PDB file of all heavy atoms in Angstrom:
ATOM      1  N   PHE G   2     117.176  91.851  88.153  1.00 86.00           N
ATOM      2  CA  PHE G   2     116.216  90.778  87.936  1.00 86.00           C
ATOM      3  C   PHE G   2     115.122  91.180  86.940  1.00 86.00           C
ATOM      4  O   PHE G   2     114.780  90.414  86.041  1.00 86.00           O
ATOM      5  CB  PHE G   2     115.590  90.341  89.254  1.00 86.00           C
ATOM      6  CG  PHE G   2     116.587  89.759  90.218  1.00 86.00           C
ATOM      7  CD1 PHE G   2     116.974  90.453  91.354  1.00 86.00           C
ATOM      8  CD2 PHE G   2     117.161  88.522  89.960  1.00 86.00           C
ATOM      9  CE1 PHE G   2     117.899  89.921  92.226  1.00 86.00           C
ATOM     10  CE2 PHE G   2     118.086  87.974  90.844  1.00 86.00           C
ATOM     11  CZ  PHE G   2     118.465  88.687  91.979  1.00 86.00           C
ATOM     12  N   SER G   3     114.573  92.352  87.091  1.00 85.00           N
ATOM     13  CA  SER G   3     113.508  92.783  86.184  1.00 85.00           C
ATOM     14  C   SER G   3     114.065  93.028  84.766  1.00 85.00           C
ATOM     15  O   SER G   3     113.338  92.876  83.796  1.00 85.00           O
ATOM     16  CB  SER G   3     112.841  94.062  86.697  1.00 85.00           C
ATOM     17  OG  SER G   3     113.789  95.084  86.916  1.00 85.00           O
ATOM     18  N   ARG G   4     115.340  93.365  84.683  1.00 86.00           N
ATOM     19  CA  ARG G   4     115.954  93.595  83.371  1.00 86.00           C
ATOM     20  C   ARG G   4     116.270  92.289  82.669  1.00 86.00           C
ATOM     21  O   ARG G   4     116.029  92.144  81.472  1.00 86.00           O
ATOM     22  CB  ARG G   4     117.225  94.434  83.525  1.00 86.00           C
ATOM     23  CG  ARG G   4     117.982  94.667  82.210  1.00 86.00           C
ATOM     24  CD  ARG G   4     119.151  95.594  82.410  1.00 86.00           C
ATOM     25  NE  ARG G   4     120.131  95.077  83.336  1.00 86.00           N
ATOM     26  CZ  ARG G   4     121.088  94.187  82.995  1.00 86.00           C
ATOM     27  NH1 ARG G   4     121.150  93.720  81.761  1.00 86.00           N
ATOM     28  NH2 ARG G   4     121.958  93.783  83.895  1.00 86.00           N
ATOM     29  N   LEU G   5     116.825  91.329  83.386  1.00 88.00           N
ATOM     30  CA  LEU G   5     117.234  90.065  82.777  1.00 88.00           C
ATOM     31  C   LEU G   5     116.081  89.100  82.562  1.00 88.00           C
ATOM     32  O   LEU G   5     116.144  88.235  81.677  1.00 88.00           O
ATOM     33  CB  LEU G   5     118.297  89.384  83.642  1.00 88.00           C
ATOM     34  CG  LEU G   5     119.672  90.021  83.676  1.00 88.00           C
ATOM     35  CD1 LEU G   5     120.605  89.216  84.573  1.00 88.00           C
ATOM     36  CD2 LEU G   5     120.256  90.096  82.270  1.00 88.00           C
ATOM     37  N   PHE G   6     115.033  89.231  83.374  1.00 92.00           N
ATOM     38  CA  PHE G   6     113.922  88.311  83.289  1.00 92.00           C
ATOM     39  C   PHE G   6     112.614  89.083  83.066  1.00 92.00           C
ATOM     40  O   PHE G   6     111.709  89.037  83.893  1.00 92.00           O
ATOM     41  CB  PHE G   6     113.816  87.462  84.560  1.00 92.00           C
ATOM     42  CG  PHE G   6     115.102  86.746  84.921  1.00 92.00           C
ATOM     43  CD1 PHE G   6     115.964  87.290  85.880  1.00 92.00           C
ATOM     44  CD2 PHE G   6     115.437  85.559  84.310  1.00 92.00           C
ATOM     45  CE1 PHE G   6     117.144  86.640  86.217  1.00 92.00           C
ATOM     46  CE2 PHE G   6     116.621  84.902  84.641  1.00 92.00           C
ATOM     47  CZ  PHE G   6     117.474  85.428  85.585  1.00 92.00           C
ATOM     48  N   PRO G   7     112.504  89.785  81.955  1.00 92.00           N
ATOM     49  CA  PRO G   7     111.300  90.598  81.726  1.00 92.00           C
ATOM     50  C   PRO G   7     110.040  89.737  81.632  1.00 92.00           C
ATOM     51  O   PRO G   7     109.945  88.832  80.808  1.00 92.00           O
ATOM     52  CB  PRO G   7     111.608  91.294  80.391  1.00 92.00           C
ATOM     53  CG  PRO G   7     112.615  90.413  79.715  1.00 92.00           C
ATOM     54  CD  PRO G   7     113.440  89.845  80.823  1.00 92.00           C
ATOM     55  N   GLY G   8     109.102  90.018  82.526  1.00 93.00           N
ATOM     56  CA  GLY G   8     107.868  89.252  82.550  1.00 93.00           C
ATOM     57  C   GLY G   8     108.040  87.833  83.088  1.00 93.00           C
ATOM     58  O   GLY G   8     107.082  87.058  83.096  1.00 93.00           O
ATOM     59  N   ARG G   9     109.243  87.517  83.572  1.00 95.00           N
ATOM     60  CA  ARG G   9     109.527  86.158  84.053  1.00 95.00           C
ATOM     61  C   ARG G   9     110.166  86.162  85.446  1.00 95.00           C
ATOM     62  O   ARG G   9     110.818  85.204  85.827  1.00 95.00           O
ATOM     63  CB  ARG G   9     110.454  85.448  83.065  1.00 95.00           C
ATOM     64  CG  ARG G   9     109.807  85.173  81.715  1.00 95.00           C
ATOM     65  CD  ARG G   9     110.755  84.497  80.723  1.00 95.00           C
ATOM     66  NE  ARG G   9     111.694  85.446  80.152  1.00 95.00           N
ATOM     67  CZ  ARG G   9     112.986  85.480  80.418  1.00 95.00           C
ATOM     68  NH1 ARG G   9     113.507  84.628  81.290  1.00 95.00           N
ATOM     69  NH2 ARG G   9     113.778  86.364  79.846  1.00 95.00           N
ATOM     70  N   ALA G  10     109.968  87.257  86.186  1.00 94.00           N
ATOM     71  CA  ALA G  10     110.532  87.373  87.536  1.00 94.00           C
ATOM     72  C   ALA G  10     109.445  87.714  88.543  1.00 94.00           C
ATOM     73  O   ALA G  10     108.539  88.507  88.238  1.00 94.00           O
ATOM     74  CB  ALA G  10     111.635  88.431  87.565  1.00 94.00           C
ATOM     75  N   TRP G  11     109.548  87.119  89.714  1.00 95.00           N
ATOM     76  CA  TRP G  11     108.607  87.348  90.809  1.00 95.00           C
ATOM     77  C   TRP G  11     109.374  87.484  92.114  1.00 95.00           C
ATOM     78  O   TRP G  11     110.520  87.020  92.222  1.00 95.00           O
ATOM     79  CB  TRP G  11     107.627  86.169  90.954  1.00 95.00           C
ATOM     80  CG  TRP G  11     106.693  85.973  89.828  1.00 95.00           C
ATOM     81  CD1 TRP G  11     105.387  86.387  89.755  1.00 95.00           C
ATOM     82  CD2 TRP G  11     106.955  85.293  88.589  1.00 95.00           C
ATOM     83  NE1 TRP G  11     104.827  85.995  88.550  1.00 95.00           N
ATOM     84  CE2 TRP G  11     105.772  85.331  87.833  1.00 95.00           C
ATOM     85  CE3 TRP G  11     108.076  84.663  88.051  1.00 95.00           C
ATOM     86  CZ2 TRP G  11     105.680  84.757  86.556  1.00 95.00           C
ATOM     87  CZ3 TRP G  11     108.002  84.085  86.792  1.00 95.00           C
ATOM     88  CH2 TRP G  11     106.818  84.143  86.055  1.00 95.00           C
ATOM     89  N   ILE G  12     108.769  88.095  93.096  1.00 94.00           N
ATOM     90  CA  ILE G  12     109.311  88.127  94.434  1.00 94.00           C
ATOM     91  C   ILE G  12     108.608  87.041  95.239  1.00 94.00           C
ATOM     92  O   ILE G  12     107.367  86.997  95.295  1.00 94.00           O
ATOM     93  CB  ILE G  12     109.128  89.494  95.101  1.00 94.00           C
ATOM     94  CG1 ILE G  12     109.904  90.564  94.328  1.00 94.00           C
ATOM     95  CG2 ILE G  12     109.581  89.462  96.563  1.00 94.00           C
ATOM     96  CD1 ILE G  12     109.647  91.977  94.822  1.00 94.00           C
ATOM     97  N   ALA G  13     109.382  86.146  95.839  1.00 94.00           N
ATOM     98  CA  ALA G  13     108.801  85.022  96.578  1.00 94.00           C
ATOM     99  C   ALA G  13     108.335  85.470  97.957  1.00 94.00           C
ATOM    100  O   ALA G  13     109.119  86.039  98.733  1.00 94.00           O
ATOM    101  CB  ALA G  13     109.815  83.891  96.707  1.00 94.00           C
ATOM    102  N   ALA G  14     107.081  85.226  98.262  1.00 93.00           N
ATOM    103  CA  ALA G  14     106.537  85.490  99.588  1.00 93.00           C
ATOM    104  C   ALA G  14     106.521  84.160 100.340  1.00 93.00           C
ATOM    105  O   ALA G  14     105.690  83.302 100.069  1.00 93.00           O
ATOM    106  CB  ALA G  14     105.142  86.070  99.492  1.00 93.00           C
ATOM    107  N   GLU G  15     107.473  83.994 101.271  1.00 90.00           N
ATOM    108  CA  GLU G  15     107.625  82.744 101.995  1.00 90.00           C
ATOM    109  C   GLU G  15     107.379  82.980 103.474  1.00 90.00           C
ATOM    110  O   GLU G  15     108.228  83.512 104.184  1.00 90.00           O
ATOM    111  CB  GLU G  15     109.024  82.162 101.747  1.00 90.00           C
ATOM    112  CG  GLU G  15     109.257  81.889 100.261  1.00 90.00           C
ATOM    113  CD  GLU G  15     110.597  81.290  99.951  1.00 90.00           C
ATOM    114  OE1 GLU G  15     111.552  81.510 100.719  1.00 90.00           O
ATOM    115  OE2 GLU G  15     110.715  80.620  98.911  1.00 90.00           O
ATOM    116  N   LEU G  16     106.191  82.610 103.935  1.00 86.00           N
ATOM    117  CA  LEU G  16     105.771  82.858 105.300  1.00 86.00           C
ATOM    118  C   LEU G  16     105.512  81.517 105.979  1.00 86.00           C
ATOM    119  O   LEU G  16     104.925  80.619 105.380  1.00 86.00           O
ATOM    120  CB  LEU G  16     104.500  83.705 105.332  1.00 86.00           C
ATOM    121  CG  LEU G  16     104.545  85.000 104.491  1.00 86.00           C
ATOM    122  CD1 LEU G  16     103.194  85.679 104.487  1.00 86.00           C
ATOM    123  CD2 LEU G  16     105.623  85.939 105.017  1.00 86.00           C
ATOM    124  N   HIS G  17     105.953  81.382 107.231  1.00 77.00           N
ATOM    125  CA  HIS G  17     105.899  80.076 107.893  1.00 77.00           C
ATOM    126  C   HIS G  17     105.227  80.128 109.266  1.00 77.00           C
ATOM    127  O   HIS G  17     105.619  79.412 110.193  1.00 77.00           O
ATOM    128  CB  HIS G  17     107.317  79.506 108.016  1.00 77.00           C
ATOM    129  CG  HIS G  17     108.005  79.353 106.704  1.00 77.00           C
ATOM    130  ND1 HIS G  17     109.002  80.207 106.277  1.00 77.00           N
ATOM    131  CD2 HIS G  17     107.810  78.460 105.698  1.00 77.00           C
ATOM    132  CE1 HIS G  17     109.397  79.844 105.069  1.00 77.00           C
ATOM    133  NE2 HIS G  17     108.694  78.790 104.696  1.00 77.00           N
ATOM    134  N   GLY G  18     104.247  80.995 109.398  1.00 72.00           N
ATOM    135  CA  GLY G  18     103.496  81.036 110.646  1.00 72.00           C
ATOM    136  C   GLY G  18     104.253  81.678 111.791  1.00 72.00           C
ATOM    137  O   GLY G  18     103.981  81.399 112.957  1.00 72.00           O
ATOM    138  N   GLY G  19     105.192  82.550 111.490  1.00 74.00           N
ATOM    139  CA  GLY G  19     105.955  83.229 112.529  1.00 74.00           C
ATOM    140  C   GLY G  19     105.252  84.464 113.044  1.00 74.00           C
ATOM    141  O   GLY G  19     104.260  84.939 112.473  1.00 74.00           O
ATOM    142  N   SER G  20     105.780  85.032 114.108  1.00 74.00           N
ATOM    143  CA  SER G  20     105.148  86.196 114.749  1.00 74.00           C
ATOM    144  C   SER G  20     105.264  87.445 113.880  1.00 74.00           C
ATOM    145  O   SER G  20     104.498  88.394 114.086  1.00 74.00           O
ATOM    146  CB  SER G  20     105.794  86.448 116.112  1.00 74.00           C
ATOM    147  OG  SER G  20     107.196  86.686 115.960  1.00 74.00           O
ATOM    148  N   ASN G  21     106.219  87.471 112.949  1.00 83.00           N
ATOM    149  CA  ASN G  21     106.416  88.666 112.141  1.00 83.00           C
ATOM    150  C   ASN G  21     105.920  88.504 110.715  1.00 83.00           C
ATOM    151  O   ASN G  21     106.275  89.289 109.827  1.00 83.00           O
ATOM    152  CB  ASN G  21     107.883  89.042 112.119  1.00 83.00           C
ATOM    153  CG  ASN G  21     108.741  88.004 111.391  1.00 83.00           C
ATOM    154  OD1 ASN G  21     108.345  86.836 111.311  1.00 83.00           O
ATOM    155  ND2 ASN G  21     109.878  88.425 110.850  1.00 83.00           N
ATOM    156  N   ASP G  22     105.093  87.493 110.448  1.00 87.00           N
ATOM    157  CA  ASP G  22     104.647  87.227 109.076  1.00 87.00           C
ATOM    158  C   ASP G  22     103.906  88.413 108.467  1.00 87.00           C
ATOM    159  O   ASP G  22     104.115  88.754 107.297  1.00 87.00           O
ATOM    160  CB  ASP G  22     103.743  85.995 109.030  1.00 87.00           C
ATOM    161  CG  ASP G  22     104.534  84.692 108.963  1.00 87.00           C
ATOM    162  OD1 ASP G  22     105.781  84.770 108.938  1.00 87.00           O
ATOM    163  OD2 ASP G  22     103.920  83.620 108.921  1.00 87.00           O
ATOM    164  N   ARG G  23     103.049  89.048 109.255  1.00 90.00           N
ATOM    165  CA  ARG G  23     102.259  90.156 108.717  1.00 90.00           C
ATOM    166  C   ARG G  23     103.144  91.325 108.318  1.00 90.00           C
ATOM    167  O   ARG G  23     102.986  91.913 107.235  1.00 90.00           O
ATOM    168  CB  ARG G  23     101.219  90.596 109.740  1.00 90.00           C
ATOM    169  CG  ARG G  23     100.299  91.712 109.256  1.00 90.00           C
ATOM    170  CD  ARG G  23      99.144  91.949 110.200  1.00 90.00           C
ATOM    171  NE  ARG G  23      98.276  90.784 110.276  1.00 90.00           N
ATOM    172  CZ  ARG G  23      97.158  90.751 111.008  1.00 90.00           C
ATOM    173  NH1 ARG G  23      96.789  91.810 111.714  1.00 90.00           N
ATOM    174  NH2 ARG G  23      96.415  89.665 111.025  1.00 90.00           N
ATOM    175  N   ALA G  24     104.137  91.633 109.169  1.00 91.00           N
ATOM    176  CA  ALA G  24     105.049  92.732 108.856  1.00 91.00           C
ATOM    177  C   ALA G  24     105.918  92.365 107.657  1.00 91.00           C
ATOM    178  O   ALA G  24     106.203  93.210 106.805  1.00 91.00           O
ATOM    179  CB  ALA G  24     105.928  93.039 110.074  1.00 91.00           C
ATOM    180  N   ARG G  25     106.352  91.107 107.598  1.00 88.00           N
ATOM    181  CA  ARG G  25     107.180  90.661 106.481  1.00 88.00           C
ATOM    182  C   ARG G  25     106.417  90.765 105.171  1.00 88.00           C
ATOM    183  O   ARG G  25     106.954  91.228 104.155  1.00 88.00           O
ATOM    184  CB  ARG G  25     107.605  89.206 106.710  1.00 88.00           C
ATOM    185  CG  ARG G  25     108.412  88.570 105.581  1.00 88.00           C
ATOM    186  CD  ARG G  25     109.790  89.150 105.468  1.00 88.00           C
ATOM    187  NE  ARG G  25     110.572  88.450 104.443  1.00 88.00           N
ATOM    188  CZ  ARG G  25     111.823  88.733 104.138  1.00 88.00           C
ATOM    189  NH1 ARG G  25     112.455  89.693 104.820  1.00 88.00           N
ATOM    190  NH2 ARG G  25     112.458  88.086 103.208  1.00 88.00           N
ATOM    191  N   LEU G  26     105.163  90.344 105.167  1.00 91.00           N
ATOM    192  CA  LEU G  26     104.358  90.417 103.960  1.00 91.00           C
ATOM    193  C   LEU G  26     104.155  91.868 103.520  1.00 91.00           C
ATOM    194  O   LEU G  26     104.212  92.174 102.318  1.00 91.00           O
ATOM    195  CB  LEU G  26     103.006  89.744 104.177  1.00 91.00           C
ATOM    196  CG  LEU G  26     102.068  89.688 102.973  1.00 91.00           C
ATOM    197  CD1 LEU G  26     102.728  88.983 101.788  1.00 91.00           C
ATOM    198  CD2 LEU G  26     100.767  88.988 103.343  1.00 91.00           C
ATOM    199  N   ALA G  27     103.964  92.764 104.472  1.00 92.00           N
ATOM    200  CA  ALA G  27     103.806  94.181 104.143  1.00 92.00           C
ATOM    201  C   ALA G  27     105.073  94.717 103.491  1.00 92.00           C
ATOM    202  O   ALA G  27     105.033  95.489 102.518  1.00 92.00           O
ATOM    203  CB  ALA G  27     103.469  94.981 105.393  1.00 92.00           C
ATOM    204  N   GLU G  28     106.254  94.323 104.011  1.00 90.00           N
ATOM    205  CA  GLU G  28     107.517  94.743 103.429  1.00 90.00           C
ATOM    206  C   GLU G  28     107.689  94.213 102.009  1.00 90.00           C
ATOM    207  O   GLU G  28     108.142  94.923 101.113  1.00 90.00           O
ATOM    208  CB  GLU G  28     108.676  94.259 104.298  1.00 90.00           C
ATOM    209  CG  GLU G  28     108.787  94.953 105.649  1.00 90.00           C
ATOM    210  CD  GLU G  28     109.934  94.398 106.467  1.00 90.00           C
ATOM    211  OE1 GLU G  28     110.239  93.182 106.330  1.00 90.00           O
ATOM    212  OE2 GLU G  28     110.541  95.148 107.242  1.00 90.00           O
ATOM    213  N   LEU G  29     107.287  92.963 101.814  1.00 91.00           N
ATOM    214  CA  LEU G  29     107.421  92.358 100.489  1.00 91.00           C
ATOM    215  C   LEU G  29     106.483  93.042  99.491  1.00 91.00           C
ATOM    216  O   LEU G  29     106.849  93.247  98.315  1.00 91.00           O
ATOM    217  CB  LEU G  29     107.119  90.864 100.565  1.00 91.00           C
ATOM    218  CG  LEU G  29     108.151  90.019 101.293  1.00 91.00           C
ATOM    219  CD1 LEU G  29     107.639  88.594 101.474  1.00 91.00           C
ATOM    220  CD2 LEU G  29     109.482  89.994 100.532  1.00 91.00           C
ATOM    221  N   ARG G  30     105.279  93.398  99.929  1.00 92.00           N
ATOM    222  CA  ARG G  30     104.352  94.091  99.045  1.00 92.00           C
ATOM    223  C   ARG G  30     104.895  95.469  98.659  1.00 92.00           C
ATOM    224  O   ARG G  30     104.768  95.908  97.511  1.00 92.00           O
ATOM    225  CB  ARG G  30     102.985  94.221  99.726  1.00 92.00           C
ATOM    226  CG  ARG G  30     102.187  92.935  99.724  1.00 92.00           C
ATOM    227  CD  ARG G  30     100.930  93.067 100.548  1.00 92.00           C
ATOM    228  NE  ARG G  30     100.050  91.901 100.386  1.00 92.00           N
ATOM    229  CZ  ARG G  30      99.084  91.588 101.202  1.00 92.00           C
ATOM    230  NH1 ARG G  30      98.821  92.351 102.267  1.00 92.00           N
ATOM    231  NH2 ARG G  30      98.343  90.516 100.980  1.00 92.00           N
ATOM    232  N   GLU G  31     105.504  96.136  99.625  1.00 91.00           N
ATOM    233  CA  GLU G  31     106.105  97.439  99.345  1.00 91.00           C
ATOM    234  C   GLU G  31     107.245  97.301  98.337  1.00 91.00           C
ATOM    235  O   GLU G  31     107.376  98.116  97.426  1.00 91.00           O
ATOM    236  CB  GLU G  31     106.614  98.056 100.650  1.00 91.00           C
ATOM    237  CG  GLU G  31     107.172  99.462 100.493  1.00 91.00           C
ATOM    238  CD  GLU G  31     107.600 100.073 101.812  1.00 91.00           C
ATOM    239  OE1 GLU G  31     107.234  99.526 102.874  1.00 91.00           O
ATOM    240  OE2 GLU G  31     108.299 101.100 101.776  1.00 91.00           O
ATOM    241  N   LEU G  32     108.063  96.259  98.521  1.00 88.00           N
ATOM    242  CA  LEU G  32     109.160  96.011  97.596  1.00 88.00           C
ATOM    243  C   LEU G  32     108.637  95.679  96.211  1.00 88.00           C
ATOM    244  O   LEU G  32     109.177  96.145  95.196  1.00 88.00           O
ATOM    245  CB  LEU G  32     110.025  94.871  98.122  1.00 88.00           C
ATOM    246  CG  LEU G  32     111.220  94.470  97.247  1.00 88.00           C
ATOM    247  CD1 LEU G  32     112.227  95.597  97.169  1.00 88.00           C
ATOM    248  CD2 LEU G  32     111.880  93.216  97.809  1.00 88.00           C
ATOM    249  N   ALA G  33     107.575  94.892  96.150  1.00 89.00           N
ATOM    250  CA  ALA G  33     106.992  94.521  94.869  1.00 89.00           C
ATOM    251  C   ALA G  33     106.493  95.754  94.115  1.00 89.00           C
ATOM    252  O   ALA G  33     106.690  95.881  92.904  1.00 89.00           O
ATOM    253  CB  ALA G  33     105.850  93.528  95.092  1.00 89.00           C
ATOM    254  N   ASP G  34     105.841  96.669  94.838  1.00 89.00           N
ATOM    255  CA  ASP G  34     105.356  97.900  94.215  1.00 89.00           C
ATOM    256  C   ASP G  34     106.527  98.744  93.717  1.00 89.00           C
ATOM    257  O   ASP G  34     106.463  99.335  92.640  1.00 89.00           O
ATOM    258  CB  ASP G  34     104.525  98.703  95.212  1.00 89.00           C
ATOM    259  CG  ASP G  34     103.193  98.053  95.536  1.00 89.00           C
ATOM    260  OD1 ASP G  34     102.752  97.203  94.740  1.00 89.00           O
ATOM    261  OD2 ASP G  34     102.620  98.375  96.591  1.00 89.00           O
ATOM    262  N   LEU G  35     107.594  98.778  94.496  1.00 87.00           N
ATOM    263  CA  LEU G  35     108.767  99.583  94.136  1.00 87.00           C
ATOM    264  C   LEU G  35     109.470  99.033  92.906  1.00 87.00           C
ATOM    265  O   LEU G  35     109.893  99.792  92.025  1.00 87.00           O
ATOM    266  CB  LEU G  35     109.744  99.626  95.318  1.00 87.00           C
ATOM    267  CG  LEU G  35     111.018 100.451  95.139  1.00 87.00           C
ATOM    268  CD1 LEU G  35     110.688 101.925  94.967  1.00 87.00           C
ATOM    269  CD2 LEU G  35     111.937 100.251  96.336  1.00 87.00           C
ATOM    270  N   CYS G  36     109.558  97.709  92.834  1.00 86.00           N
ATOM    271  CA  CYS G  36     110.302  97.068  91.733  1.00 86.00           C
ATOM    272  C   CYS G  36     109.436  96.738  90.535  1.00 86.00           C
ATOM    273  O   CYS G  36     109.954  96.420  89.456  1.00 86.00           O
ATOM    274  CB  CYS G  36     110.943  95.776  92.227  1.00 86.00           C
ATOM    275  SG  CYS G  36     112.124  95.992  93.559  1.00 86.00           S
ATOM    276  N   GLY G  37     108.129  96.789  90.703  1.00 88.00           N
ATOM    277  CA  GLY G  37     107.246  96.439  89.600  1.00 88.00           C
ATOM    278  C   GLY G  37     107.195  94.953  89.324  1.00 88.00           C
ATOM    279  O   GLY G  37     106.873  94.535  88.203  1.00 88.00           O
ATOM    280  N   LEU G  38     107.485  94.141  90.343  1.00 91.00           N
ATOM    281  CA  LEU G  38     107.434  92.683  90.199  1.00 91.00           C
ATOM    282  C   LEU G  38     106.313  92.127  91.073  1.00 91.00           C
ATOM    283  O   LEU G  38     106.131  92.581  92.204  1.00 91.00           O
ATOM    284  CB  LEU G  38     108.765  92.040  90.617  1.00 91.00           C
ATOM    285  CG  LEU G  38     109.994  92.390  89.792  1.00 91.00           C
ATOM    286  CD1 LEU G  38     111.216  91.688  90.363  1.00 91.00           C
ATOM    287  CD2 LEU G  38     109.795  91.986  88.332  1.00 91.00           C
ATOM    288  N   PRO G  39     105.584  91.166  90.570  1.00 94.00           N
ATOM    289  CA  PRO G  39     104.492  90.585  91.366  1.00 94.00           C
ATOM    290  C   PRO G  39     105.034  89.649  92.444  1.00 94.00           C
ATOM    291  O   PRO G  39     106.165  89.156  92.348  1.00 94.00           O
ATOM    292  CB  PRO G  39     103.661  89.808  90.339  1.00 94.00           C
ATOM    293  CG  PRO G  39     104.645  89.456  89.265  1.00 94.00           C
ATOM    294  CD  PRO G  39     105.625  90.608  89.214  1.00 94.00           C
ATOM    295  N   LEU G  40     104.200  89.399  93.467  1.00 95.00           N
ATOM    296  CA  LEU G  40     104.534  88.419  94.491  1.00 95.00           C
ATOM    297  C   LEU G  40     104.023  87.052  94.056  1.00 95.00           C
ATOM    298  O   LEU G  40     103.024  86.941  93.355  1.00 95.00           O
ATOM    299  CB  LEU G  40     103.884  88.784  95.820  1.00 95.00           C
ATOM    300  CG  LEU G  40     104.384  90.028  96.557  1.00 95.00           C
ATOM    301  CD1 LEU G  40     103.574  90.221  97.837  1.00 95.00           C
ATOM    302  CD2 LEU G  40     105.855  89.931  96.875  1.00 95.00           C
ATOM    303  N   VAL G  41     104.721  86.006  94.508  1.00 95.00           N
ATOM    304  CA  VAL G  41     104.258  84.648  94.296  1.00 95.00           C
ATOM    305  C   VAL G  41     104.486  83.865  95.584  1.00 95.00           C
ATOM    306  O   VAL G  41     105.498  84.036  96.250  1.00 95.00           O
ATOM    307  CB  VAL G  41     104.985  83.969  93.105  1.00 95.00           C
ATOM    308  CG1 VAL G  41     106.471  83.810  93.374  1.00 95.00           C
ATOM    309  CG2 VAL G  41     104.360  82.619  92.776  1.00 95.00           C
TER     310      VAL G  41
END
């Protein structure tokens, strides 16, 4: 994704008020840091 969409790719943060939203967001932030893609 980062190769094919340089500067045009994001990781979607989709949270719906569930019990694990905080943990899910933390995982997504970690993934974003690892991949160098921002969250949206």
Side-chain angles (χ1 to χ4, degrees):
F2 296 108
S3 55
R4 177 175 61 82
L5 289 180
F6 306 98
R9 293 179 283 110
W11 293 261
I12 297 173
E15 300 181 334
L16 309 175
H17 302 105
S20 59
N21 66 335
D22 276 0
R23 182 170 296 182
R25 176 71 176 181
L26 182 57
E28 290 178 329
L29 290 171
R30 283 173 171 162
E31 184 177 346
L32 179 65
D34 290 340
L35 181 64
C36 299
L38 296 179
L40 292 179
V41 64

